[in-house]
Amino acid sequence: MARTLDGLVLSPVADQAPGQVGTRTRFTYHQQDGTIWAEYAGGDVVRGHLVGTREGDVLDFRYVQLKQDGTTSSGHCRSTVTELPDGRVRLDERWEWESQEGSGTSVVEEVTH
């Protein structure tokens, strides 16, 4: 199992569709036992939150966000946690909106300071 996510800051490696999470978005993760949560913001997202569980290297969580245009949206995501050769954490994500149409995949990686 890859190391804990607690206190890590992650960011997408590529932009999604306009109005969504992108390379300027930063996720700050927290983990306690099998529970995970994060706050995120940046780019088109004013504020977002996710909450869920971690079992081994699999995250299962729901997310909700407020965008710059004042709209809100929510969805479900399952991510696989891996450790990159340089020691940083990577999440390979499969997500699906629950408040609107659409689904996809994305990759977020730990940001080094």
Side-chain angles (χ1 to χ4, degrees):
M1 181 166 81
R3 72 180 201 270
T4 181
L5 300 177
D6 196 49
L8 298 184
V9 176
L10 291 92
S11 181
V13 299
D15 287 322
Q16 298 294 319
Q20 306 302 332
V21 165
T23 56
R24 295 181 296 154
T25 309
R26 296 291 181 268
F27 293 78
T28 302
Y29 272 83
H30 309 279
Q31 180 177 334
Q32 185 175 29
D33 301 321
T35 303
I36 56 134
W37 66 99
E39 305 85 32
Y40 61 98
D44 289 328
V45 178
V46 174
R47 182 177 303 265
H49 297 278
L50 64 85
V51 63
T53 58
R54 178 176 183 175
E55 187 172 323
D57 287 331
V58 176
L59 308 181
D60 188 342
F61 61 84
R62 294 284 191 299
Y63 57 89
V64 61
Q65 63 189 32
L66 170 66
K67 297 189 299 185
Q68 294 284 351
D69 66 5
T71 61
T72 60
S73 50
S74 62
H76 176 246
C77 184
R78 285 184 57 88
S79 301
T80 302
V81 182
T82 58
E83 193 166 326
L84 296 168
D86 64 6
R88 294 180 303 127
V89 168
R90 172 184 172 126
L91 303 180
D92 292 291
E93 303 182 318
R94 293 189 152 286
W95 49 267
E96 182 175 14
W97 291 109
E98 294 178 331
S99 62
Q100 60 194 32
E101 293 294 317
S103 62
T105 61
S106 55
V107 174
V108 296
E109 293 181 354
E110 182 180 354
V111 176
T112 56
H113 302 291

